[in-house]
Amino acid sequence: MSDWLWEGIDVSWCQTQVDWKKVAASGIRFAMIRVGFCYNDGSLKEDKMLRAHVQGAKAAGLDVGFYLYSYALTPQAARTAARQVAQLVAPYKPTFPIALDLEDPSLERLGRDTLTQTAAAFCQEMEQAGFYAMIYANKDWLIRLLDARALASYDIWLAQWASQPSWNGSFGLWQYAGSQGRVDGVSGPCDRDRCRRDYPSIIRAAGLNGW
């Protein structure tokens, strides 16, 4: 599609062998890196590959953003997690957003209102800390479990493994390939992403993420 600016990947502890120079040479422009996950109460468990991935990606000249896999059960737990995430990523001055990853089936029982409030709480806390926040979710969650209108002020990172996205809402990032994704320089499968917004320019111009 003509409105996609750049290709990217997202990585976590699953990708232990990454040659970031090869990744950059293959045309990848940005990386969304897993900070870790938060427990039900919002306490943070850091991803064991976080620091290595950030160091390698930035050394190869890639733009970097982060995401948190969430098990938070309440808005307050999400705020607790956001404060820890902000402290952890601040030294890296990310040029892409900080995303809350909502997809774990165990959270579906919370219902649409609570999940929407939890997502908003994380984003609000990240914004108060001076970061560009966004929400990662698949199409089913965006339709069935989140109130997209209530979250309209936040960017969406759409997870839909398809040749074209079919969600009608607004979104800035698209994860279009998952378990079958491949990138030169990454051993094994790797999630593939596309970006339609110039986040580095937006973030720097707004003085966010430490810029």
Side-chain angles (χ1 to χ4, degrees), residues 1-205:
M1 295 176 65
S2 60
D3 59 344
W4 298 112
L5 294 177
W6 305 309
E7 287 279 332
I9 60 174
D10 57 271
V11 294
S12 69
W13 62 271
C14 297
Q15 287 77 38
T16 58
Q17 302 294 325
V18 181
D19 185 329
W20 286 100
K21 290 184 178 179
K22 285 186 177 180
V23 171
S26 72
I28 297 299
R29 168 68 183 268
F30 66 92
M32 296 294 289
I33 299 171
R34 184 178 182 262
V35 173
F37 69 89
C38 71
Y39 294 98
N40 292 164
D41 64 355
S43 56
L44 180 66
K45 175 67 173 179
E46 182 179 328
D47 191 296
K48 66 180 183 180
M49 290 298 296
L50 168 64
R51 298 170 193 268
H53 282 328
V54 176
Q55 181 180 4
K58 289 176 73 72
L62 272 65
D63 286 297
V64 168
F66 296 96
Y67 71 95
L68 173 74
Y69 194 91
S70 177
Y71 294 102
L73 294 180
T74 64
Q76 183 55 48
R79 291 186 184 278
T80 297
R83 289 193 289 269
Q84 296 172 85
V85 170
Q87 185 175 18
L88 188 58
V89 305
Y92 301 125
K93 295 180 68 173
T95 48
F96 262 63
I98 316 300
L100 180 68
D101 182 342
L102 286 170
E103 60 180 318
D104 196 81
S106 69
L107 299 181
E108 293 190 21
R109 62 185 173 83
L110 299 179
R112 195 167 188 247
D113 289 345
T114 297
L115 286 170
T116 298
Q117 293 166 15
T118 298
F122 177 88
C123 291
Q124 290 164 5
E125 197 71 29
M126 291 304 304
E127 288 185 342
Q128 289 175 14
F131 290 89
Y132 195 114
M134 78 184 324
I135 298 163
Y136 168 100
N138 60 50
K139 181 182 176 181
D140 175 60
W141 272 61
L142 290 167
I143 294 172
R144 185 170 58 90
L145 292 168
L146 294 171
D147 184 346
R149 287 178 296 179
L151 299 171
S153 60
Y154 306 112
D155 272 5
I156 296 297
W157 177 8
L158 172 67
Q160 186 181 12
W161 300 351
S163 58
Q164 299 290 347
S166 60
W167 188 59
N168 293 325
S170 174
F171 58 97
L173 288 177
W174 173 35
Q175 185 188 77
Y176 67 91
S179 58
Q180 301 303 314
R182 291 292 187 275
V183 176
D184 189 29
V186 180
S187 177
C190 180
D191 295 341
R192 298 288 302 262
D193 303 276
R194 286 178 179 150
C195 170
R196 61 167 29 136
R197 294 175 185 155
D198 185 351
Y199 286 114
S201 295
I202 293 169
I203 287 169
R204 287 190 176 100

